[in-house]
Amino acid sequence: MINHVTFPGLGIELTLNRVAFTLFGVPIYWYGVLITIGLALALIFAFHYSRSFGIDADRMVDVILIGTVCAVIGGRVFYVATAPFEYESFRDMLDIRLGGMAIYGAVIGAFLSGIVTCRWRKVPLLPMFDLAGIGFLLGQGIGRWGNFVNQEAFGVNTTLPWGMYSEGTYNYLAHTKDVLAAQGIIVDPNMPVHPTFLYESIWCLLGFFLLWAYMKHRKFDGELILMYAMWYGAERFVVEGLRTDSLMIGKFRISQVIAAVSVLIALGLWIFMRRKYRGIPHKVHYTAIVKENGVRKTYEFEWMLGEKPMNDQQIKQEIERRRALEQPDEQEAVPQDKAEPERQENEALQTAEEPNNELPQPEEPAKREDGQAESEK
C-alpha cells in the first residue's frame, strides 16, 4: 500500500500511502477520495450555473445522480472487457478501489443515461451536455491524481527532468516488458517514466478554465460539448501514445482510435453549426413546470445569452401575471341561459324606478258627423 516515488531530475522524493483513512475498519483509498472530490466540485459548478444554461437545478439532480452511477458502471465494464488479463473472480471485477476505470467507458455510460434521463425529467439535452462537458474536465483534472497515488497510467521511459520512478513503475515494466516489446515498445524498468497522469490533469484543468471563460460567448446549444470532445480527444490521442498500459484491439490502442474519431466528428459538427448560427444571437430557453389543479403545466421563458438569468422570484411573479391574463372576464363567463332572465329583471327594475315626466294632453273636441268641430258652450 506504500509507494516511494522519486523525480530524480528534480530532486523530489515522496512517500505515498494508497489508503487515505479507515472507516469502521474499512480502508478508504485515495483513488476513490480524489474521484469523489472531483465529482463534488463538478456538481457545485453545475448547480451554480444551471440557470445560465436554462436548466432547472432540481430536475438536474436526477440526471446527475443516474449519470454518475452509469459512468462508474460504464467505466468499469469497458475496462474489464478490454483488459489484457483475466480476473480471478467476479468480486475482483467489481472492486475499483485499486483502480481500473476506462474514462471513455465512463463518458459513454454517462451520456447514454443522460439522454434517457433528460427526456424523463424534461431537462434540455444539449445545454445539459454543455454543462456536463465543463464538469467532466474539472472532475478528470482532479481524479487523475488518483492514478499518481496508485502509481498507474504512466508512460514509457523518458530523460526529461520531470521523469518519475517508483517501485510501482519498476514492477509493472519488469512484468510487462516482453508484452510491450511485442507491440514495438522497448522499456527499461530501471529508468524514469513519463508522468502521463500529470499531463492529462494539467490539460483537463486548463480546458476547464478555457471553456468556463468561453461559455458566455457560446453560439449554439451543444457547442461546449463539441469543444470538450475536441480538446480532450486531442490530448488523449497524444498522451495515449506514451502510455504503457493501453487497452488494445490487435495493434491499435482503443483510446487513441476513439480519440481520433471523436475529434474529427466534433470538429466537423462544430464548423457546420458555427456556419448555421453565424450572426444569430444566442438565446437561453428555460421551462418552468408547475402544478395547477393537479395538472402539470409548462411556462416558457427566454433571455439573451450574457443577460442575468431570471431568479425563482421573478419567474414566480411572471407566472402569476400570465395566469391573471388568462382568466376570463366574470361577466363574459356568465352562461347565456342565466344572463337573459337577469337582463329582463334589471330592465323591469329600471322601468319601475323611472319618473313619469309626460304632461297630460287636452282632449280633442268632439266632431260632428259633418266633420266640423262642436263649438264650446
Side-chain angles (χ1 to χ4, degrees):
M1 296 297 178
I2 303 296
N3 279 313
H4 300 284
V5 184
T6 63
F7 294 85
L10 301 176
I12 299 175
E13 296 184 6
L14 300 171
T15 299
L16 305 176
N17 190 340
R18 289 183 177 183
V19 179
F21 56 91
T22 57
L23 184 64
F24 303 112
V26 178
I28 307 299
Y29 292 84
W30 276 111
Y31 186 83
V33 171
L34 289 167
I35 290 178
T36 302
I37 292 174
L39 176 62
L41 292 177
L43 288 176
I44 293 173
F45 179 87
F47 279 110
H48 182 75
Y49 287 101
S50 60
R51 187 63 57 83
S52 299
F53 285 79
I55 299 172
D56 181 81
D58 292 335
R59 299 199 299 273
M60 183 182 68
V61 172
D62 294 331
V63 179
I64 292 176
L65 292 178
I66 295 176
T68 300
V69 174
C70 291
V72 174
I73 295 174
R76 187 59 175 178
V77 169
F78 194 100
Y79 183 85
V80 171
T82 55
F85 54 84
E86 295 183 0
Y87 286 89
E88 296 181 358
S89 65
F90 183 72
R91 181 178 180 180
D92 291 338
M93 293 182 183
L94 300 178
D95 189 0
I96 63 173
R97 293 176 298 173
L98 298 179
M101 294 281 290
I103 186 62
Y104 275 118
V107 172
I108 293 171
F111 277 102
L112 290 179
S113 66
I115 293 173
V116 176
T117 313
C118 282
R119 291 183 178 277
W120 167 50
R121 295 296 290 135
K122 308 301 181 184
V123 174
L125 184 63
L126 292 179
M128 185 69 235
F129 280 4
D130 282 338
L131 193 57
I134 304 178
F136 273 140
L137 289 173
L138 179 58
Q140 289 172 244
I142 295 173
R144 275 302 176 190
W145 285 87
N147 299 134
F148 173 59
V149 177
N150 285 352
Q151 282 296 283
E152 61 186 4
F154 48 81
V156 296
N157 298 129
T158 181
T159 56
L160 292 171
W162 51 81
M164 178 182 68
Y165 175 83
S166 70
E167 302 101 314
T169 63
Y170 174 85
N171 293 334
Y172 179 82
L173 294 180
H175 180 69
T176 60
K177 66 178 182 178
D178 293 336
V179 176
L180 293 173
Q183 299 173 5
I185 303 173
I186 307 301
V187 295
D188 182 353
N190 297 294
M191 292 289 293
V193 297
H194 281 283
T196 51
F197 81 91
L198 179 62
Y199 302 160
E200 184 159 331
S201 177
I202 294 174
W203 188 260
C204 287
L205 292 177
L206 177 60
F208 164 75
F209 287 110
L210 290 176
L211 289 190
W212 185 11
Y214 180 75
M215 71 181 190
K216 292 184 179 180
H217 306 282
R218 60 190 188 274
K219 303 301 180 183
F220 56 90
D221 291 333
E223 183 177 20
L224 296 182
I225 192 60
L226 292 177
M227 297 176 76
Y228 162 80
M230 290 186 287
W231 181 265
Y232 180 69
E235 173 271 325
R236 189 58 186 265
F237 181 83
V238 175
V239 172
E240 192 68 23
L242 299 174
R243 286 176 58 167
T244 57
D245 61 343
S246 298
L247 303 176
M248 309 288 290
I249 293 183
K251 295 183 179 181
F252 295 97
R253 299 171 187 259
I254 297 175
S255 291
Q256 260 192 329
V257 173
I258 296 176
V261 172
S262 64
V263 169
L264 292 176
I265 294 176
L267 179 60
L269 289 173
W270 182 74
I271 293 174
F272 173 78
M273 296 299 288
R274 290 278 296 191
R275 290 178 177 176
K276 180 179 179 180
Y277 287 94
R278 180 183 299 171
I280 301 177
H282 183 60
K283 295 182 179 180
V284 178
H285 300 274
Y286 178 80
T287 301
I289 302 178
V290 296
K291 279 190 176 181
E292 296 182 4
N293 299 323
V295 179
R296 290 180 179 271
K297 187 173 183 180
T298 60
Y299 291 88
E300 303 292 336
F301 301 87
E302 67 176 22
W303 54 83
M304 297 299 300
L305 180 66
E307 293 181 355
K308 186 177 181 180
M310 298 177 67
N311 57 37
D312 292 338
Q313 183 63 28
Q314 291 172 328
I315 290 176
K316 183 179 180 181
Q317 292 175 352
E318 177 62 16
I319 290 176
E320 292 177 352
R321 187 188 70 83
R322 293 184 189 182
R323 285 175 176 172
L325 292 176
E326 292 174 357
Q327 291 180 354
D329 186 78
E330 293 183 358
Q331 293 182 355
E332 295 179 357
V334 177
Q336 185 64 27
D337 57 345
K338 293 183 179 180
E340 184 62 23
E342 183 176 348
R343 184 184 62 80
Q344 294 177 357
E345 183 179 352
N346 290 338
E347 290 180 356
L349 291 174
Q350 183 178 0
T351 303
E353 293 175 357
E354 287 181 354
N356 190 0
N357 295 327
E358 296 183 0
L359 296 175
Q361 300 295 327
E363 295 182 359
E364 295 183 1
K367 295 183 180 180
R368 294 183 180 181
E369 293 181 358
D370 56 3
Q372 295 181 359
E374 183 180 357
S375 60
E376 294 181 359
K377 293 183 180 181

